[in-house]
Amino acid sequence: MAEVNIMRIDAFSYREKISNAETVMLVPVGAVEQHGPHMPLGVDTILSTKMAELVAEKIDGLVAPTIAFGYKSQPRSGGGTHIVGTFGFSAAHVIESARTLVNELFRHGLKKMVFVNGHYENYQFVYEGVELALRDIRAISDKLPKVLILSYWDFVTPEALERLYPDGFPGWDIEHGGVLETSLMLEHFPDLVHMDRVMDHPPAQLTNYDVLPEIPERTPHSGCLSSAKPSSAEKGRILTEIAVSEMVKAIQTEFA
């Protein structure tokens, strides 16, 4: 299968590929964030890139450089910045990274772009960066690119959730370091997962509001907000097939 990630192809091949006006560029967005004792700090970056590559293979698209440094981890969705191993970058960093990529890809001639988010806290800042880039482009051109922004977990269907979480789905915010991410890593990068180090505990009991400064005691010692013990490569395969299929449908619909 042809290489889709532009970080691994030469400039001449890249220029030839994007000479086709129908080429879709997928931009992964991740973070450097702790995911407990059983997974690496790069989970969000690794998975967003992998999901973007799998989608690109289905639509004959390309994958742009990954935005690897995401917005600050929040206690109610990622454990919080007080946990060593998490790198908290500013909103401005994420906004300007997204803005710059849209502007640069448009300068290269691309008109169809998809941001594939893999870090819960990034979404609104990616949105802001894209919106600002479109303002930039509107000032110099009347032909704007079309940009989709999505988080891959939003494409897991309710039917799949019932199948994969027989005891009830805890919610995406509390899935940090849990079954979804661990199962996907087991499917695609099993050598980076250590199931013997999973800390099995009930889902974190979190408030429906935020408190600053953060209260470290409210985050489980594992740094994860739910247990990864029920994870498996089989679940990761199911999650991948469904999410990729649904993302492809959305992209084909919007860029038809």
Side-chain angles (χ1 to χ4, degrees):
M1 187 171 290
E3 179 60 63
V4 297
N5 195 312
I6 70 171
M7 297 296 280
R8 296 194 288 266
I9 64 176
D10 64 86
F12 283 71
S13 299
Y14 172 64
R15 291 196 289 266
E16 179 182 359
K17 183 73 173 179
I18 64 174
S19 66
N20 180 351
E22 297 303 309
T23 298
V24 177
M25 181 68 75
L26 295 103
V27 184
V29 192
V32 183
E33 182 184 40
Q34 65 82 26
H35 283 77
H38 66 290
M39 289 197 294
L41 303 183
V43 165
D44 293 348
T45 297
I46 292 168
L47 289 180
S48 61
T49 304
K50 183 64 177 179
M51 297 300 274
E53 290 173 348
L54 291 172
V55 171
E57 290 169 1
K58 298 285 187 182
I59 64 171
D60 195 25
L62 290 173
V63 177
T66 302
I67 298 176
F69 302 112
Y71 184 65
K72 302 178 184 72
S73 175
Q74 304 294 288
R76 292 194 292 134
S77 53
T81 56
H82 63 276
I83 304 176
V84 174
T86 290
F87 289 71
F89 287 81
S90 68
H93 174 89
V94 181
I95 291 168
E96 287 304 313
S97 295
R99 183 180 189 174
T100 298
L101 273 169
V102 172
N103 275 303
E104 285 298 284
L105 293 172
F106 179 77
R107 185 174 66 83
H108 292 178
L110 285 142
K111 301 296 193 299
K112 300 179 178 182
M113 309 171 200
V114 181
F115 281 78
V116 181
N117 180 39
H119 177 62
Y120 194 88
E121 292 87 343
N122 281 340
Y123 197 92
Q124 295 302 326
F125 306 116
V126 172
Y127 188 105
E128 175 72 359
V130 171
E131 201 275 334
L132 290 174
L134 294 182
R135 292 189 189 188
D136 297 337
I137 294 168
R138 190 176 283 112
I140 61 172
S141 174
D142 58 357
K143 295 181 180 179
L144 297 179
K146 188 170 187 178
V147 186
L148 276 61
I149 308 170
L150 56 87
S151 296
Y152 69 79
W153 52 83
D154 284 335
F155 293 83
V156 180
T157 62
E159 294 77 16
L161 292 178
E162 289 182 12
R163 179 180 175 188
L164 296 169
Y165 297 85
D167 296 326
F169 178 57
W172 290 130
D173 53 347
I174 210 169
E175 252 292 300
H176 174 72
V179 172
L180 173 112
E181 291 179 316
T182 305
S183 293
L184 288 172
M185 290 292 289
L186 283 170
E187 166 64 5
H188 301 291
F189 306 97
D191 56 319
L192 297 180
V193 184
H194 303 281
M195 290 301 292
D196 59 321
R197 300 185 65 186
V198 168
M199 298 176 71
D200 188 26
H201 54 71
Q205 297 298 308
L206 302 172
T207 62
N208 59 354
Y209 53 85
D210 294 300
V211 179
L212 292 173
E214 294 176 4
I215 302 174
E217 295 76 20
R218 292 187 178 177
T219 302
H221 179 63
S222 68
C224 301
L225 300 184
S226 59
S227 175
K229 188 175 181 180
S231 305
S232 70
E234 180 183 4
K235 289 182 178 180
R237 195 170 307 118
I238 294 169
L239 286 162
T240 298
E241 290 173 358
I242 292 169
V244 169
S245 174
E246 294 299 313
M247 283 190 283
V248 167
K249 288 180 186 177
I251 292 167
Q252 290 176 335
T253 296
E254 295 300 329
F255 292 134

